[in-house]
Amino acid sequence: MRKLIKVTVTLISVLLLSNCSSAVKESPALKLYVFDCGEITVKDISLFSPGVDIGKSKTLANACYLIMHPKGNLLWETGLSDRLVTMKKGKKIADGMFHLQVNHTLSSQLNNLGLQAKDIDYVALSHLHFDHTGNTNLFVNAKVLIQQQELDLAFTKEGEKLYFDASTYNEIDKSNFIGLDGKKDIFNDGSVVIYPAGGHTPGHQTLLVNLAGTGSVMLSGDLFHFTKNRLHKRIPALNFNKADSLSSIDNIEQTLIDVDAKLWIQHDLETFKSMKLSPEYYQ
Ligand SMILES: [Zn+2]
């Protein structure tokens, strides 16, 4: 009789345990999608690497990223404006220094995943340059997460001088902007964490995403624009503050070692071409 009870108890615990493990497997895991949010050809790339490659042209990728978390959908960057898609030959700005091209709208890439702009709960922007904020006005339901220093300048003349383009985010209700004070663990579980990295602009920031299979990935914002600049620690002439840029680079490089993360340089065309694009994803 005792033996029978023991066997029954063991069976019940095995059943309970297997139930538990299947529940864990079924819970939605963190997913990261990479979107093509345009391309920028720079006429003279020495603008980004002073004294080096003078007069040489270089094309930069412009990526956006969707992070699906059980507690909400977060978009990191909103890219070049979707309106550019109608310009088949692209658009030249700043006396031809930059040529902008959009081949796929951000909206259509979200739609392909069954999502609308209203389904985005958070938009986090590395900074307020136009190539990172182009479609922000679409996301009227989202909380917009930027550093407080960046928010303080968002609608000012001073911000305009720093190449902030308020026309790309001025339709968002002011109460939806959240000014962050440094590091921010967005979902309070350590999976998606903003790191301050000022210098390129006053409140520039990067994003760490801890993926179960892929490992930890840091999305660079404009900490670097391409790999060679990372190797030689070159600071673009247009950066707001060179000393801050250099100390942010040191801080983020140290963080990458501490948390064992890879850095994805968002504008680096070679990196972008090696990525799985949405609807494929990283997990
Ligand atoms: Zn920038």
Side-chain angles (χ1 to χ4, degrees), residues 35 37 82 104-113 115-117 135 138-139:
F35 294 141
C37 286
D82 280 359
H104 311 282
T105 62
L106 173 56
S107 304
S108 69
Q109 293 173 82
L110 287 169
N111 294 164
N112 286 345
L113 297 174
L115 295 171
Q116 310 286 330
N135 298 299
L138 296 176
F139 301 98

PDB file of all heavy atoms in Angstrom, residues 35 37 82 104-113 115-117 135 138-139:
ATOM      1  N   PHE A  35      14.591  46.263 -39.160  1.00  0.00           N
ATOM      2  CA  PHE A  35      13.910  46.877 -40.302  1.00  0.00           C
ATOM      3  C   PHE A  35      14.889  47.711 -41.120  1.00  0.00           C
ATOM      4  O   PHE A  35      15.812  48.324 -40.562  1.00  0.00           O
ATOM      5  CB  PHE A  35      12.802  47.828 -39.825  1.00  0.00           C
ATOM      6  CG  PHE A  35      11.652  47.167 -39.128  1.00  0.00           C
ATOM      7  CD1 PHE A  35      11.065  47.768 -38.022  1.00  0.00           C
ATOM      8  CD2 PHE A  35      11.138  45.960 -39.574  1.00  0.00           C
ATOM      9  CE1 PHE A  35       9.987  47.184 -37.374  1.00  0.00           C
ATOM     10  CE2 PHE A  35      10.063  45.362 -38.932  1.00  0.00           C
ATOM     11  CZ  PHE A  35       9.490  45.972 -37.827  1.00  0.00           C
ATOM     12  N   CYS A  37      15.254  50.988 -42.644  1.00  0.00           N
ATOM     13  CA  CYS A  37      14.630  52.323 -42.550  1.00  0.00           C
ATOM     14  C   CYS A  37      15.370  53.349 -43.399  1.00  0.00           C
ATOM     15  O   CYS A  37      15.440  54.523 -43.043  1.00  0.00           O
ATOM     16  CB  CYS A  37      14.532  52.753 -41.091  1.00  0.00           C
ATOM     17  SG  CYS A  37      13.231  51.860 -40.212  1.00  0.00           S
ATOM     18  N   ASP A  82       8.951  57.949 -43.934  1.00  0.00           N
ATOM     19  CA  ASP A  82       8.301  57.091 -44.931  1.00  0.00           C
ATOM     20  C   ASP A  82       7.925  57.879 -46.194  1.00  0.00           C
ATOM     21  O   ASP A  82       7.788  57.301 -47.261  1.00  0.00           O
ATOM     22  CB  ASP A  82       7.014  56.468 -44.350  1.00  0.00           C
ATOM     23  CG  ASP A  82       7.309  55.253 -43.465  1.00  0.00           C
ATOM     24  OD1 ASP A  82       8.505  54.899 -43.336  1.00  0.00           O
ATOM     25  OD2 ASP A  82       6.353  54.677 -42.915  1.00  0.00           O
ATOM     26  N   HIS A 104      11.643  50.933 -48.517  1.00  0.00           N
ATOM     27  CA  HIS A 104      10.545  50.234 -47.840  1.00  0.00           C
ATOM     28  C   HIS A 104      10.103  51.098 -46.669  1.00  0.00           C
ATOM     29  O   HIS A 104      10.945  51.493 -45.865  1.00  0.00           O
ATOM     30  CB  HIS A 104      10.996  48.885 -47.293  1.00  0.00           C
ATOM     31  CG  HIS A 104      11.748  48.056 -48.292  1.00  0.00           C
ATOM     32  ND1 HIS A 104      11.122  47.358 -49.295  1.00  0.00           N
ATOM     33  CD2 HIS A 104      13.075  47.856 -48.448  1.00  0.00           C
ATOM     34  CE1 HIS A 104      12.036  46.747 -50.019  1.00  0.00           C
ATOM     35  NE2 HIS A 104      13.227  47.030 -49.538  1.00  0.00           N
ATOM     36  N   THR A 105       8.813  51.373 -46.576  1.00  0.00           N
ATOM     37  CA  THR A 105       8.373  52.196 -45.445  1.00  0.00           C
ATOM     38  C   THR A 105       8.407  51.377 -44.152  1.00  0.00           C
ATOM     39  O   THR A 105       8.254  50.148 -44.173  1.00  0.00           O
ATOM     40  CB  THR A 105       6.932  52.713 -45.654  1.00  0.00           C
ATOM     41  OG1 THR A 105       6.038  51.596 -45.728  1.00  0.00           O
ATOM     42  CG2 THR A 105       6.819  53.565 -46.904  1.00  0.00           C
ATOM     43  N   LEU A 106       8.581  52.091 -43.057  1.00  0.00           N
ATOM     44  CA  LEU A 106       8.527  51.458 -41.737  1.00  0.00           C
ATOM     45  C   LEU A 106       7.116  50.904 -41.502  1.00  0.00           C
ATOM     46  O   LEU A 106       6.954  49.785 -41.004  1.00  0.00           O
ATOM     47  CB  LEU A 106       8.896  52.498 -40.665  1.00  0.00           C
ATOM     48  CG  LEU A 106       8.749  52.083 -39.206  1.00  0.00           C
ATOM     49  CD1 LEU A 106       9.545  50.830 -38.891  1.00  0.00           C
ATOM     50  CD2 LEU A 106       9.187  53.223 -38.275  1.00  0.00           C
ATOM     51  N   SER A 107       6.090  51.679 -41.921  1.00  0.00           N
ATOM     52  CA  SER A 107       4.700  51.227 -41.741  1.00  0.00           C
ATOM     53  C   SER A 107       4.469  49.878 -42.401  1.00  0.00           C
ATOM     54  O   SER A 107       3.865  48.978 -41.813  1.00  0.00           O
ATOM     55  CB  SER A 107       3.726  52.225 -42.347  1.00  0.00           C
ATOM     56  OG  SER A 107       3.928  53.481 -41.790  1.00  0.00           O
ATOM     57  N   SER A 108       4.960  49.737 -43.647  1.00  0.00           N
ATOM     58  CA  SER A 108       4.712  48.478 -44.365  1.00  0.00           C
ATOM     59  C   SER A 108       5.440  47.317 -43.692  1.00  0.00           C
ATOM     60  O   SER A 108       4.949  46.189 -43.664  1.00  0.00           O
ATOM     61  CB  SER A 108       5.127  48.601 -45.834  1.00  0.00           C
ATOM     62  OG  SER A 108       6.526  48.704 -45.937  1.00  0.00           O
ATOM     63  N   GLN A 109       6.605  47.596 -43.117  1.00  0.00           N
ATOM     64  CA  GLN A 109       7.350  46.525 -42.451  1.00  0.00           C
ATOM     65  C   GLN A 109       6.659  46.100 -41.154  1.00  0.00           C
ATOM     66  O   GLN A 109       6.683  44.922 -40.787  1.00  0.00           O
ATOM     67  CB  GLN A 109       8.804  46.965 -42.209  1.00  0.00           C
ATOM     68  CG  GLN A 109       9.557  47.120 -43.537  1.00  0.00           C
ATOM     69  CD  GLN A 109      10.942  47.716 -43.369  1.00  0.00           C
ATOM     70  OE1 GLN A 109      11.888  47.005 -43.047  1.00  0.00           O
ATOM     71  NE2 GLN A 109      11.079  49.008 -43.569  1.00  0.00           N
ATOM     72  N   LEU A 110       6.021  47.054 -40.480  1.00  0.00           N
ATOM     73  CA  LEU A 110       5.212  46.704 -39.299  1.00  0.00           C
ATOM     74  C   LEU A 110       3.978  45.917 -39.733  1.00  0.00           C
ATOM     75  O   LEU A 110       3.634  44.894 -39.137  1.00  0.00           O
ATOM     76  CB  LEU A 110       4.785  47.974 -38.544  1.00  0.00           C
ATOM     77  CG  LEU A 110       5.874  48.697 -37.745  1.00  0.00           C
ATOM     78  CD1 LEU A 110       5.376  50.061 -37.279  1.00  0.00           C
ATOM     79  CD2 LEU A 110       6.312  47.858 -36.537  1.00  0.00           C
ATOM     80  N   ASN A 111       3.312  46.411 -40.809  1.00  0.00           N
ATOM     81  CA  ASN A 111       2.103  45.733 -41.330  1.00  0.00           C
ATOM     82  C   ASN A 111       2.404  44.279 -41.685  1.00  0.00           C
ATOM     83  O   ASN A 111       1.582  43.400 -41.444  1.00  0.00           O
ATOM     84  CB  ASN A 111       1.559  46.446 -42.574  1.00  0.00           C
ATOM     85  CG  ASN A 111       1.031  47.843 -42.268  1.00  0.00           C
ATOM     86  OD1 ASN A 111       0.830  48.645 -43.164  1.00  0.00           O
ATOM     87  ND2 ASN A 111       0.807  48.150 -40.996  1.00  0.00           N
ATOM     88  N   ASN A 112       3.588  44.039 -42.254  1.00  0.00           N
ATOM     89  CA  ASN A 112       3.961  42.662 -42.622  1.00  0.00           C
ATOM     90  C   ASN A 112       4.000  41.732 -41.423  1.00  0.00           C
ATOM     91  O   ASN A 112       3.913  40.516 -41.565  1.00  0.00           O
ATOM     92  CB  ASN A 112       5.334  42.636 -43.300  1.00  0.00           C
ATOM     93  CG  ASN A 112       5.265  43.179 -44.712  1.00  0.00           C
ATOM     94  OD1 ASN A 112       4.163  43.316 -45.284  1.00  0.00           O
ATOM     95  ND2 ASN A 112       6.408  43.518 -45.286  1.00  0.00           N
ATOM     96  N   LEU A 113       4.140  42.308 -40.235  1.00  0.00           N
ATOM     97  CA  LEU A 113       4.136  41.497 -39.005  1.00  0.00           C
ATOM     98  C   LEU A 113       2.755  41.514 -38.349  1.00  0.00           C
ATOM     99  O   LEU A 113       2.584  41.076 -37.215  1.00  0.00           O
ATOM    100  CB  LEU A 113       5.177  42.035 -38.012  1.00  0.00           C
ATOM    101  CG  LEU A 113       6.639  41.984 -38.462  1.00  0.00           C
ATOM    102  CD1 LEU A 113       7.521  42.679 -37.436  1.00  0.00           C
ATOM    103  CD2 LEU A 113       7.098  40.543 -38.662  1.00  0.00           C
ATOM    104  N   LEU A 115       1.168  44.272 -37.529  1.00  0.00           N
ATOM    105  CA  LEU A 115       1.116  45.378 -36.560  1.00  0.00           C
ATOM    106  C   LEU A 115       0.787  46.705 -37.240  1.00  0.00           C
ATOM    107  O   LEU A 115       1.111  46.918 -38.413  1.00  0.00           O
ATOM    108  CB  LEU A 115       2.474  45.534 -35.860  1.00  0.00           C
ATOM    109  CG  LEU A 115       2.928  44.384 -34.972  1.00  0.00           C
ATOM    110  CD1 LEU A 115       4.374  44.605 -34.534  1.00  0.00           C
ATOM    111  CD2 LEU A 115       2.033  44.235 -33.746  1.00  0.00           C
ATOM    112  N   GLN A 116       0.124  47.576 -36.471  1.00  0.00           N
ATOM    113  CA  GLN A 116      -0.139  48.958 -36.894  1.00  0.00           C
ATOM    114  C   GLN A 116       0.676  49.868 -35.965  1.00  0.00           C
ATOM    115  O   GLN A 116       1.111  49.426 -34.901  1.00  0.00           O
ATOM    116  CB  GLN A 116      -1.625  49.296 -36.700  1.00  0.00           C
ATOM    117  CG  GLN A 116      -2.600  48.291 -37.270  1.00  0.00           C
ATOM    118  CD  GLN A 116      -2.673  48.364 -38.782  1.00  0.00           C
ATOM    119  OE1 GLN A 116      -2.480  49.430 -39.358  1.00  0.00           O
ATOM    120  NE2 GLN A 116      -2.917  47.236 -39.414  1.00  0.00           N
ATOM    121  N   ALA A 117       0.774  51.129 -36.356  1.00  0.00           N
ATOM    122  CA  ALA A 117       1.509  52.086 -35.503  1.00  0.00           C
ATOM    123  C   ALA A 117       0.930  52.123 -34.079  1.00  0.00           C
ATOM    124  O   ALA A 117       1.664  52.235 -33.106  1.00  0.00           O
ATOM    125  CB  ALA A 117       1.475  53.472 -36.124  1.00  0.00           C
ATOM    126  N   ASN A 135       9.780  59.008 -38.481  1.00  0.00           N
ATOM    127  CA  ASN A 135       8.360  58.605 -38.443  1.00  0.00           C
ATOM    128  C   ASN A 135       7.758  58.649 -37.044  1.00  0.00           C
ATOM    129  O   ASN A 135       6.704  58.046 -36.802  1.00  0.00           O
ATOM    130  CB  ASN A 135       8.220  57.183 -39.007  1.00  0.00           C
ATOM    131  CG  ASN A 135       8.650  57.130 -40.456  1.00  0.00           C
ATOM    132  OD1 ASN A 135       8.075  57.800 -41.313  1.00  0.00           O
ATOM    133  ND2 ASN A 135       9.706  56.358 -40.735  1.00  0.00           N
ATOM    134  N   LEU A 138       3.974  59.084 -36.222  1.00  0.00           N
ATOM    135  CA  LEU A 138       2.997  58.001 -36.463  1.00  0.00           C
ATOM    136  C   LEU A 138       2.578  57.317 -35.161  1.00  0.00           C
ATOM    137  O   LEU A 138       1.501  56.731 -35.077  1.00  0.00           O
ATOM    138  CB  LEU A 138       3.600  56.916 -37.370  1.00  0.00           C
ATOM    139  CG  LEU A 138       3.977  57.276 -38.808  1.00  0.00           C
ATOM    140  CD1 LEU A 138       4.638  56.075 -39.470  1.00  0.00           C
ATOM    141  CD2 LEU A 138       2.739  57.699 -39.585  1.00  0.00           C
ATOM    142  N   PHE A 139       3.448  57.390 -34.141  1.00  0.00           N
ATOM    143  CA  PHE A 139       3.259  56.520 -32.969  1.00  0.00           C
ATOM    144  C   PHE A 139       2.598  57.277 -31.821  1.00  0.00           C
ATOM    145  O   PHE A 139       3.195  57.497 -30.765  1.00  0.00           O
ATOM    146  CB  PHE A 139       4.602  55.888 -32.581  1.00  0.00           C
ATOM    147  CG  PHE A 139       5.170  55.093 -33.714  1.00  0.00           C
ATOM    148  CD1 PHE A 139       6.136  55.637 -34.558  1.00  0.00           C
ATOM    149  CD2 PHE A 139       4.673  53.828 -34.002  1.00  0.00           C
ATOM    150  CE1 PHE A 139       6.617  54.922 -35.643  1.00  0.00           C
ATOM    151  CE2 PHE A 139       5.151  53.104 -35.086  1.00  0.00           C
ATOM    152  CZ  PHE A 139       6.121  53.652 -35.909  1.00  0.00           C
TER     153      PHE A 139
END
